[in-house]
Amino acid sequence: MSVLPDVLASGHHSVSFEFFPPSTEAGNRMLWESLRRVERVAPTFVSITYGAGGSSRARTLEVVRSIASETTLLPVVHLTAVGHSIAELRQIIGQYLDAGVQDVLVLRGDPPGDPNAEWVPHPKGLTYASELVRLVRMYGVSSVGVAAFPEKHPRSPDWESDIRHFVAKCRAGADYAITQMFFHVDDYLRLRDRVAAVGCHIPIVPAIMPATDVRQIARFAELSHAAFPLSLARRLEAAQGSPADCHRIGVEYASTMADRLITEGAPGLHFITLNRPTVVLEIHKNIRNRLRSAHALPTAL
Ligand code: FAD
């Protein structure tokens, strides 16, 4: 049995790290060094993303299989509906279970190539993540997570429908949600309040993606549509010639965010690593005592 839903419901803060399956041998070595580094801080889980298509999807399975069999880490595997028939999705869920992976983060996925292109479901597939939540649940997995959007999903026409569909997805069988990256804590708090106001109290884990380079900003906006704080952009721009200063500014901003999220009662912190965990481990170190003092943790954190 997975401990994940229990940890998230217990009031103890979960700490998790997100990785992607690399496409090269060098990338694979870096992933494994990174996994060993985060293993030392005993996170609640690590999650592995699922690519938009092709061979990266098979690599997700290989990576989670190795994590399950060769580390002390709990792997959460992402799964997207896009481009798959229901029969294929059933097969993949079976492969995850055979690999010893029982915890799935369920997503609809975006159109491959251009994430902003028109969404077209596979002719024999699913249209919304809520349908995949129901399908995955039929297999008796230990936990199911879903995505949440502090600035609402970019395709949602308004907040009312966004929250209604999010809550329906949770009620289809999700145990918890992880957010899209965001940079204003108030956006997270507003989302949490909106969801709670309609009677849904699912743990919503905020995702933290530190910005340590001004060149990342446009990429972040493209990927997540997250509003980037002007003051942070200006500070990073001013420090552009000094990687050490940019690093310090990014760590400081994300650590302050993490601290406030804990104070505000977030159920945990999910760190997006891009397979380079140095920055997020520094943030984790900065707030480790806050995590400890907010609740006595059951792990070695
Ligand atoms: P859904 O919940 O299906 O929502 C999509 C849109 O449809 C929303 O606007 C929603 O309001 C609307 N909607 C839902 N139900 C209905 C309904 N019944 N009627 C009308 N409208 C409805 N992508 C990847 O490709 N691989 C990954 O590994 C990956 N990991 C991610 C991890 C996290 C934590 C997050 C936040 C995102 C991740 N993504 C990943 C991106 C994700 O696939 C996209 O953001 C996608 O656009 C949204 O997926 P969803 O699961 O929220 O979709």
Side-chain angles (χ1 to χ4, degrees):
M1 266 302 277
S2 168
V3 296
L4 190 43
D6 291 342
V7 172
L8 288 167
S10 69
H12 296 299
H13 288 104
S14 136
V15 172
S16 49
F17 297 93
E18 182 177 302
F19 296 90
F20 64 86
S23 56
T24 62
E25 207 28 63
N28 203 38
R29 274 197 300 278
M30 188 161 87
L31 170 71
W32 276 91
E33 278 165 27
S34 302
L35 287 168
R36 292 302 178 194
R37 286 178 68 197
V38 304
E39 197 173 17
R40 287 187 215 125
V41 303
T44 313
F45 65 92
V46 292
S47 82
I48 304 296
T49 61
Y50 192 72
S55 61
S56 95
R57 293 185 151 184
R59 287 198 299 273
T60 295
L61 174 62
E62 286 165 30
V63 170
V64 289
R65 181 185 282 127
S66 302
I67 294 174
S69 61
E70 294 168 31
T71 76
T72 58
L73 296 162
L74 176 70
V76 168
V77 68
H78 297 209
L79 177 61
T80 62
V82 64
H84 282 307
S85 66
I86 294 173
E88 285 164 356
L89 289 165
R90 287 182 186 281
Q91 198 184 8
I92 297 162
I93 300 162
Q95 287 170 337
Y96 287 160
L97 291 173
D98 287 348
V101 181
Q102 298 262 354
D103 300 277
V104 187
L105 185 67
V106 165
L107 307 135
R108 173 167 100 161
D110 290 314
D114 176 4
N116 299 316
E118 190 194 348
W119 163 261
V120 181
H122 185 286
K124 293 186 176 168
L126 303 172
T127 305
Y128 297 112
S130 52
E131 297 163 339
L132 185 53
V133 170
R134 277 189 210 97
L135 184 71
V136 170
R137 270 289 170 219
M138 284 164 58
Y139 283 79
V141 298
S142 297
S143 75
V144 173
V146 289
F149 295 82
E151 295 171 73
K152 98 178 160 49
H153 188 279
R155 289 180 196 267
S156 295
D158 52 61
W159 269 110
E160 189 277 323
S161 64
D162 189 87
I163 298 296
R164 183 159 35 86
H165 294 314
F166 174 72
V167 170
K169 176 165 71 173
C170 296
R171 296 202 166 130
D175 298 293
Y176 67 97
I178 301 180
T179 71
Q180 180 60 279
M181 68 170 92
F182 61 97
F183 298 98
H184 297 281
V185 171
D186 286 344
D187 289 334
Y188 167 82
L189 298 176
R190 265 193 295 271
L191 169 74
R192 193 179 62 176
D193 291 349
R194 282 181 163 121
V195 171
V198 292
C200 177
H201 300 284
I202 192 163
I204 302 177
V205 181
I208 297 210
M209 168 88 172
T212 55
D213 187 335
V214 76
R215 288 168 303 184
Q216 292 170 316
I217 297 172
R219 180 84 181 120
F220 284 176
E222 188 194 338
L223 285 177
S224 69
H225 300 261
F228 199 84
L230 196 57
S231 59
L232 178 58
R234 287 201 175 123
R235 287 181 69 200
L236 287 171
E237 257 159 33
Q240 215 173 357
S242 164
D245 283 350
C246 287
H247 177 97
R248 182 182 46 74
I249 291 165
V251 168
E252 197 180 282
Y253 189 90
S255 302
T256 306
M257 267 184 83
D259 192 288
R260 180 154 175 240
L261 286 162
I262 295 163
T263 305
E264 296 282 0
L269 298 171
H270 184 70
F271 292 104
I272 300 172
T273 70
L274 300 180
N275 292 6
R276 293 170 189 270
T278 301
V279 177
V280 295
L281 284 171
E282 207 172 315
I283 297 160
H284 177 258
K285 196 170 163 199
N286 287 345
I287 49 117
R288 200 165 42 180
N289 289 338
R290 292 279 297 111
L291 289 164
R292 278 208 191 104
S293 61
H295 291 284
L297 283 168
T299 66
L301 277 168

